[in-house]
Amino acid sequence: MSDIHALDDGRQACIRRIRHDDADALRGFIKALSPRTRRARFLEQINEPSDALIGRLVDVDHANDEAFVAVDAADPSCLVGVARYAVDNHPTEGEIAVTVMDDWQGSGLDRALMQPLMQAARANGLTSMISIDPANHHPMRELAQALGFTTGPDPDDSTQVIHRLQL
């Protein structure tokens, strides 16, 4: 099942749950990201994603972790965005990551990807979502603000902030 979303710039994207057969498209997506966007997503520079990384990213249980992908409605083979959460130490809190292809940034795709992710988190009993990001990552700060997240300093790292949303 996928939903078509009209974006702010007039393009359309289909958003659906990630599947195992998205592995090759996901690898291509990561490789096509700019170094700046890859660093913002992975907090380090990744040039060639390993098979192990790709496997972890497509292997979701749809409860403790969930992921949605966006594909270009005009070219369904072209993955243009991914949003995910993973539950770690706190069983009712999911840490999120949202990544949008560079030439799709500013289109509202990040907000469109977050909507089904937040719905899935609520349905799976999560009560909050967080994102830990570099303090100077302005696109994530803007997204967090638009979605109603609160932002505060990371007590463990002064170069980072924590965005938190009560679901």
Side-chain angles (χ1 to χ4, degrees):
M1 179 181 112
S2 63
D3 292 322
I4 296 179
H5 292 267
L7 304 174
D8 297 347
D9 63 1
R11 289 183 284 187
Q12 294 185 326
C14 297
I15 297 177
R16 60 170 172 75
R17 282 193 162 107
I18 199 165
R19 303 183 301 235
H20 284 275
D21 65 355
D22 287 321
D24 289 338
L26 184 60
R27 181 182 310 278
F29 170 78
I30 292 169
K31 288 171 67 172
L33 297 171
S34 70
R36 174 189 56 81
T37 300
R38 256 182 277 143
R39 181 178 307 280
R41 166 56 182 95
F42 295 104
L43 302 178
E44 63 180 322
Q45 196 52 264
I46 293 177
N47 294 320
E48 182 68 37
S50 68
D51 290 342
L53 173 63
I54 297 298
R56 282 192 311 272
L57 294 175
V58 297
D59 186 25
V60 298
D61 69 9
H62 304 292
N64 292 310
D65 56 339
E66 181 62 271
F68 286 86
V69 297
V71 297
D72 184 345
D75 180 3
S77 68
C78 183
L79 199 151
V80 296
V82 180
R84 66 179 55 249
Y85 75 75
V87 174
D88 194 14
N89 297 329
H90 304 285
T92 60
E93 181 176 82
E95 185 172 346
I96 66 164
V98 182
T99 310
V100 172
M101 187 68 68
D102 290 81
D103 62 343
W104 285 69
Q105 291 176 12
S107 68
L109 181 57
D110 53 358
R111 291 186 318 274
L113 277 162
M114 283 298 298
Q115 295 307 316
L117 191 69
M118 292 185 313
Q119 290 171 353
R122 284 183 192 102
N124 288 324
L126 273 65
T127 58
S128 64
M129 298 181 119
I130 66 165
S131 181
I132 302 169
D133 297 288
N136 64 355
H137 188 337
H138 299 292
M140 187 58 201
R141 183 180 294 267
E142 291 170 5
L143 174 62
Q145 184 178 19
L147 295 173
F149 282 68
T150 59
T151 300
D154 182 340
D156 299 324
D157 186 340
S158 64
T159 67
Q160 296 183 150
V161 294
I162 299 175
H163 306 289
R164 182 178 308 278
L165 178 67
Q166 297 304 313
L167 294 173

